[in-house]
Amino acid sequence: MKKISELMDYRPSIKVVDATLRDGGLVNEFYFPEDFAKALYETNVKAGVDYMEFGYRASKEIFDVNKFGPCKFSDDDYIRSIVGDNDTDLKIAIMADVGRCDYKNDIVERANSPVDLVRVACYLHQIPTAIEMIEDAHKKGYETSCNIMALSTVQENDVKAALEIIAKSPVDVIYIVDSYGSIYPEAMARVCDVFGEIASKYNKKLGIHAHDNQKLAFANTIECCGDGVDYLDATYLSMGRGAGNCAMELLLGFLKNPKYNVLPVIKFIENHMIPLKESGVVWGYDLQYLMTGLFNQHPRTAISFTKDKRKDYTTFYTETMTMD
């Protein structure tokens, strides 16, 4: 059992990462209202958030720029249009998906970019390419993380083998990612043990990115926090793919670091997030996402269910239950 001090004490090593534009952008093709990103940036600065993820650095050879908003590509020029010289303590992050990013050309030297952190996202079988991307970003001067997706679908021994490989790279942070929102807190504690053993061996930091299919994103995030995980992902009003993520307003309210301020977060939600929902953008917990979480499945079928405005939840349950 955790010591109460591990959950209640102020820990200066904790870093809060806002993923609203990136994970949230998955539900609206990255089309946010005008000035949304600027207001979010200013809110993060006021709230004391440590990192703001602007989106993916997706390849324009693979994805049509006319079909997505700017945070699908998060060009350096776009980021500068929001943050200027970013003369603040807030650091800027982007995500580079293995196989979907022309990292050699689209990620320039850190000295010429407003970006501080490159988050490399991969599945277990993509680890060799992820290592190449991490090494490339490190040589260019960036902080790096490796976000290992869909952990709930792979064997522990395979995870350990992958972690050994990743931890020997120059990566700064290794992320636990509950992609399907299917991991319960007691199982998450075991995951933290596995990751923590190897991270401490190679002096790496750990992060957590949780999804809310079973309304456990916040619970799993603070579970990891209590087990020494320092980088904590969250989004405003839980905005993210499908059921969404750990809510920023919950996380900052929980943390005891006096640098964090919840009031700007509440103001931003009132002025921007609630109107965004009222405009018809759909995300958040619902029965269809619960079902994919229960059966440890990718939420793509639940996302289709939502887009099709289906209401036959019982039928969807039986479909999901029998799906390979």
Side-chain angles (χ1 to χ4, degrees), residues 235-273:
T235 62
Y236 284 70
L237 206 63
S238 297
M239 186 182 187
R241 185 203 64 193
N245 306 100
C246 175
M248 180 67 75
E249 58 274 19
L250 287 174
L251 182 60
L252 293 191
F254 166 79
L255 294 174
K256 304 306 180 288
N257 189 331
K259 68 172 281 190
Y260 298 127
N261 184 1
V262 179
L263 180 58
V265 175
I266 300 301
K267 287 183 178 179
F268 182 83
I269 290 172
E270 178 182 353
N271 294 330
H272 296 276
M273 299 305 300

Side-chain angles (χ1 to χ4, degrees), residues 175-200:
Y175 259 84
I176 300 163
V177 184
D178 183 14
S179 300
Y180 301 166
S182 60
I183 302 177
Y184 293 97
E186 60 269 24
M188 187 60 79
R190 171 60 186 165
V191 174
C192 285
D193 286 343
V194 171
F195 273 67
E197 181 179 351
I198 295 175
S200 60

Side-chain angles (χ1 to χ4, degrees), residues 140-165:
K140 290 174 179 174
Y142 294 94
E143 299 173 34
T144 58
S145 74
C146 186
N147 294 36
I148 308 171
M149 299 182 288
L151 281 174
S152 59
T153 66
V154 293
Q155 298 296 315
E156 184 175 305
N157 285 340
D158 293 334
V159 173
K160 288 181 177 179
L163 287 174
E164 284 283 347
I165 296 169

Side-chain angles (χ1 to χ4, degrees), residues 45-312:
V45 172
K46 292 176 183 177
V49 170
D50 299 282
Y51 290 82
M52 177 176 174
E53 187 179 44
F54 262 77
Y56 289 99
R57 183 61 58 87
S59 170
K60 294 178 182 178
E61 296 296 318
I62 298 174
F63 298 96
D64 187 345
V65 296
N66 297 312
K67 294 183 178 179
F68 299 96
C71 292
K72 177 72 171 179
F73 309 98
S74 51
D75 296 328
D76 285 346
D77 287 343
Y78 170 71
I79 295 173
R80 285 193 186 94
S81 75
I82 304 299
V83 309
D85 293 331
N86 188 31
D87 187 21
T88 75
D89 292 331
L90 177 68
K91 292 186 176 183
I92 305 302
I94 57 170
M95 180 164 281
D97 257 352
V98 169
R100 299 179 179 182
C101 174
D102 183 8
Y103 63 95
K104 291 182 179 179
N105 296 308
D106 290 343
I107 299 178
V108 301
E109 293 289 331
R110 166 68 187 88
N112 301 318
S113 172
V115 174
D116 300 286
L117 168 66
V118 174
R119 286 155 49 100
V120 176
C122 66
Y123 293 101
L124 222 59
H125 68 279
Q126 298 172 319
I127 292 297
T129 305
I131 297 298
E132 289 183 6
M133 295 173 68
I134 289 165
E135 290 175 343
D136 179 80
H138 176 75
K139 288 176 183 177
K140 290 174 179 174
Y142 294 94
E143 299 173 34
T144 58
S145 74
C146 186
N147 294 36
I148 308 171
M149 299 182 288
L151 281 174
S152 59
T153 66
V154 293
Q155 298 296 315
E156 184 175 305
N157 285 340
D158 293 334
V159 173
K160 288 181 177 179
L163 287 174
E164 284 283 347
I165 296 169
I166 295 167
K168 291 175 183 176
S169 79
V171 74
D172 298 295
V173 187
I174 303 172
Y175 259 84
I176 300 163
V177 184
D178 183 14
S179 300
Y180 301 166
S182 60
I183 302 177
Y184 293 97
E186 60 269 24
M188 187 60 79
R190 171 60 186 165
V191 174
C192 285
D193 286 343
V194 171
F195 273 67
E197 181 179 351
I198 295 175
S200 60
K201 177 179 175 183
Y202 293 95
N203 196 29
K204 303 296 183 181
K205 294 286 189 179
L206 292 178
I208 171 66
H209 181 87
H211 279 265
D212 213 22
N213 297 63
Q214 299 186 84
K215 289 198 169 185
L216 292 173
F218 175 56
N220 280 327
T221 299
I222 63 175
E223 178 75 28
C224 289
C225 179
D227 280 332
V229 174
D230 283 331
Y231 282 67
L232 312 176
D233 281 18
T235 62
Y236 284 70
L237 206 63
S238 297
M239 186 182 187
R241 185 203 64 193
N245 306 100
C246 175
M248 180 67 75
E249 58 274 19
L250 287 174
L251 182 60
L252 293 191
F254 166 79
L255 294 174
K256 304 306 180 288
N257 189 331
K259 68 172 281 190
Y260 298 127
N261 184 1
V262 179
L263 180 58
V265 175
I266 300 301
K267 287 183 178 179
F268 182 83
I269 290 172
E270 178 182 353
N271 294 330
H272 296 276
M273 299 305 300
I274 292 175
L276 190 64
K277 269 219 161 189
E278 290 175 343
S279 74
V281 180
V282 179
W283 75 86
Y285 169 84
D286 210 334
L287 283 175
Q288 61 270 30
Y289 296 116
L290 164 66
M291 295 171 198
T292 57
L294 283 173
F295 294 113
N296 194 22
Q297 295 176 9
H298 193 287
R300 61 175 62 91
T301 54
I303 292 170
S304 295
F305 181 98
T306 304
K307 287 182 177 179
D308 293 341
K309 298 183 179 180
R310 289 175 57 181
K311 298 297 180 184
D312 53 332

Side-chain angles (χ1 to χ4, degrees), residues 23-61:
D23 214 319
L26 291 168
V27 308
N28 62 353
E29 306 293 9
F30 303 91
Y31 286 111
F32 290 94
E34 187 176 357
D35 296 331
F36 183 96
K38 180 68 172 177
L40 179 59
Y41 167 72
E42 292 172 349
T43 298
N44 280 326
V45 172
K46 292 176 183 177
V49 170
D50 299 282
Y51 290 82
M52 177 176 174
E53 187 179 44
F54 262 77
Y56 289 99
R57 183 61 58 87
S59 170
K60 294 178 182 178
E61 296 296 318

Side-chain angles (χ1 to χ4, degrees), residues 1-4 6 227:
M1 183 178 293
K2 292 178 176 61
K3 295 178 181 177
I4 189 67
E6 293 176 336
D227 280 332

